[in-house]
Amino acid sequence: MFAKILIANRGEIACRVIRTARRMGVRTVAVYSDADAGALHVEMADEAVHIGPSPVGESYLRGDKIVAAALATGAEAIHPGYGFLSENPDFVDQVTAAGLVFIGASAASIRAMGLKDAAKRLMEKAGVPVVPGYHGEAQEIVLLASKAREIGYPVLIKARAGGGGKGMRRVEHPDDFSEALSGARREAKAAFGDDRVLVEKYVDKPRHIEVQVFGDSFGNVVHLYERDCSAQRRHQKVIEEAPAPGMTPALRKAMTEAAVKAAKAIDYSGAGTIEFIVDASQGLKADRFWFMEMNTRLQVEHPVTEMVTGTDLVEWQLRVASGEKLPKAQSEIALSGHAFEARIYAEDAAKGFLPATGTLHHLKFPDTVPEGASMRIETGVRTGDAISPFYDPMIAKLVVQGKNRQAALEALGISLSQTEIAGSTVNTAFLAALAADADFSAGDVDTGLIGRHQQALTAVPPPSSEIVAAAALAASGAGAQAPTRDPWSSLAGYAHFHAMARRTRLRYGEDDILALVSMRPDGRFQVALDAPYDSALDLRAAPRLARWPGHVTVFSGAVGYSFAVPDPLARADEIAAGADSLRAPMPGLVKLVRAAKGETVIKGQPLLILEAMKMEHTISATHDGTIAEIATEGAQVTDGTVLVRFAEEAHG
């Protein structure tokens, strides 16, 4: 076994690897960028090496710096985690050329499966079923459009490199093919440096079911059953589970045998995942699944497999990479119970899942789960950490297991409702709504479920009068939640002739709220609210809430209602953006400008494309008008930057 390894990654996966390595007595070296100097994975590791500025291209994608750090610290092997360099065969070559061990697949295996088109041709030769489509080398638009017509609409354009939904477009009609192809190519080029695509038949009711495989250098390959990853938004996974709901013995046998066959076809060693698309329009059948791609690394959702098989896949990785045989034979690997993983992101689900940034002023995960269930939290952040625009905005993975799917689903819902995060917009309410969705609860899932139910799943009810009153009580400094140093607390309960009262202002979204907080003789607080609430409530103590600079967040189930608390001594300096301008919803790069200064545009017309976190977001006109100013292509903008300004006469 290795004495010391370097982890060429960051965030929760780096922390995950460190925990297993520590348990095995293996010392760890972390690497970090400027933005991650104070990160949790840096704190947890035995040693840490700075490798460059915050952008990934200058730090976590610099294989030369990572190899140099490993050599300088005496590490014997490098664990790549997932993402970044984990599936880069050139990096594997760098590692091995330096006399180090790469804890993952061989460069040859990665190359064999790295490009979707070549991988599918290889799988066809190996007898693994592949989805109908065009996987050739030619990339002329006329040819691709012709192949799309032959396949039959709807079709799916997919980047042949990478994954995560980037460079992917569903096309319903031939007239939309050209624009969809351009968008997919731009996104693929930005994310993977390769704008080539393939075109496949879009399955009407697709299930995304993948099989965890593991091989060693002695020719042994086993599977650890399947995971269902059908709950996706924008082709990115949201909630994963194991085993797949509704799985039949016949389909499981056919799918796992195909997965092992695929791994053996490339002499695979290490952790890998064979991803299949399953046509669920007529139920799960053994002849209705097709190979999509192979991920030659550990998956984000690997914890659900660990929960239901009782294995530590990171430990297996270390053992196999150090030259040992697989820890278990196929006959020794059994399923037990059901597990879910929910990905908690800093994102605004109600605004099309826009990534968010911010400081995690309050971060609290559940301490307990229902009897008979278990839970684990995979995270790389702590209270006070910032969500950086440079990296994926994942905050944590909440993983639960129960004796069956219903028990696990109940534990998931309860755990999400007890999770408290303040300081950034998060998706916990959306995740809880999805877990409670009737179709999802029944196991009737497919990759289009979230899209069909998106409005209902992302809708957040306005705060009740009780929630607003609780926020006002906390903002006033009164009540059990108030800091003892607050002078208002020392006056609580005292008045010569009548109850003392404090006037408090709050802002929720666009609403300004005025509240009058007073203390009653019996120790309760009375909160009187102006319009639109027009109510008076008696409160003895505030519910779950968090106070952070200039704000109060009140938690109700999985929803966190955040109220701004204006400083009464500060001058209200409102800068009206109004309808005269469109501002960047997040930091990003102006990738494409579709309008010009002086041009008259109509409501809904696309004006420019903003690239943020490797995804493209279209900024459209909110009304008819004439453009006075518009951002230039290639401009790097921050959150709130004016992208488009309209001429004043547009509103006259």
Side-chain angles (χ1 to χ4, degrees), residues 60-127:
Y60 295 106
L61 292 181
R62 288 291 302 272
D64 56 336
K65 291 186 176 182
I66 291 170
V67 169
L71 294 173
T73 55
E76 302 159 75
I78 294 178
H79 193 301
Y82 50 70
F84 294 148
L85 296 169
S86 62
E87 293 180 284
N88 185 319
D90 294 335
F91 177 61
V92 179
D93 288 338
Q94 276 184 286
V95 172
T96 55
L100 303 169
V101 176
F102 182 77
I103 304 174
S106 67
S109 293
I110 295 174
R111 288 190 173 97
M113 290 297 192
L115 299 177
K116 295 183 178 70
D117 51 357
K120 288 180 179 180
R121 292 194 294 269
L122 178 62
M123 290 299 98
E124 284 181 309
K125 292 181 181 178

Side-chain angles (χ1 to χ4, degrees), residues 225-228 241-245 247 252 308 335 337-339 405:
Y225 301 95
E226 80 282 351
R227 298 183 289 258
D228 193 299
E241 59 182 300
M247 176 58 71
R252 176 173 288 147
V308 298
L335 281 172
H338 201 100
R405 190 174 190 271

Side-chain angles (χ1 to χ4, degrees), residues 446-485:
D446 63 79
T447 58
L449 185 149
I450 291 176
R452 292 192 301 273
H453 300 184
Q454 186 166 331
Q455 186 172 352
L457 293 174
T458 58
V460 176
S464 65
S465 296
E466 290 77 8
I467 290 172
V468 177
L473 179 62
S476 72
Q481 298 282 346
T484 56
R485 65 179 181 274

Side-chain angles (χ1 to χ4, degrees), residues 122-363:
L122 178 62
M123 290 299 98
E124 284 181 309
K125 292 181 181 178
V128 177
V130 300
V131 67
Y134 172 71
H135 309 128
E137 291 288 341
Q139 293 288 300
E140 293 80 7
I141 185 172
V142 174
L143 174 66
L144 295 176
S146 173
K147 293 297 182 181
R149 285 192 296 271
E150 290 178 16
I151 296 165
Y153 285 89
V155 298
L156 200 61
I157 300 173
K158 298 171 67 174
R160 75 170 197 159
K166 298 177 179 67
M168 185 179 293
R169 296 289 190 277
R170 175 181 174 177
V171 190
E172 297 282 349
H173 193 274
D175 292 345
D176 303 324
F177 187 83
S178 178
E179 184 171 357
L181 177 62
S182 297
R185 280 176 165 167
R186 281 196 307 272
E187 204 167 87
K189 184 69 173 179
F192 316 119
D194 185 344
D195 66 356
R196 287 172 290 183
V197 301
L198 49 85
V199 183
E200 294 181 342
K201 175 67 179 173
Y202 184 84
V203 179
D204 289 333
K205 191 175 182 180
R207 289 270 295 272
H208 181 144
I209 302 177
E210 59 190 31
V211 176
Q212 176 72 58
V213 294
F214 220 109
D216 62 23
S217 58
F218 299 92
N220 302 307
V221 177
V222 298
H223 70 80
L224 291 94
Y225 301 95
E226 80 282 351
R227 298 183 289 258
D228 193 299
C229 307
S230 301
Q232 302 179 6
R233 89 286 190 270
R234 299 192 312 192
H235 305 293
Q236 292 181 312
K237 302 165 187 175
V238 175
I239 295 180
E240 303 96 345
E241 59 182 300
M247 176 58 71
T248 64
L251 178 58
R252 176 173 288 147
K253 182 176 185 295
M255 190 174 284
T256 54
E257 286 179 353
V260 170
K261 185 185 298 184
K264 287 185 174 181
I266 57 171
D267 298 321
Y268 195 75
S269 178
T273 300
I274 311 296
E275 299 193 353
F276 295 103
I277 189 169
V278 182
D279 183 355
S281 59
Q282 300 177 18
L284 298 183
K285 296 185 177 180
D287 62 348
R288 303 295 290 170
F289 75 96
W290 302 280
F291 171 87
M292 283 199 302
E293 62 184 353
M294 181 178 188
N295 288 285
T296 51
R297 54 169 168 78
L298 199 65
Q299 290 279 85
V300 178
E301 58 273 19
H302 76 274
V304 294
T305 293
E306 294 182 324
M307 296 285 262
V308 298
T309 59
T311 58
D312 183 330
L313 294 179
V314 174
E315 178 182 341
W316 281 34
Q317 285 187 298
L318 296 180
R319 294 194 179 283
V320 166
S322 67
E324 297 182 22
K325 289 186 176 180
L326 287 174
K328 290 184 179 181
Q330 189 66 66
S331 60
E332 299 175 287
I333 304 170
L335 281 172
S336 177
H338 201 100
F340 286 95
E341 173 183 287
R343 302 188 187 190
I344 300 176
Y345 279 99
E347 66 180 14
D348 193 336
K351 293 183 179 178
F353 303 102
L354 283 176
T357 55
T359 298
L360 302 174
H361 291 284
H362 179 82
L363 182 63

Side-chain angles (χ1 to χ4, degrees), residues 53 89 367 498 510 602 638:
D367 296 323
H498 55 80
E510 299 299 316
I602 60 174
T638 59

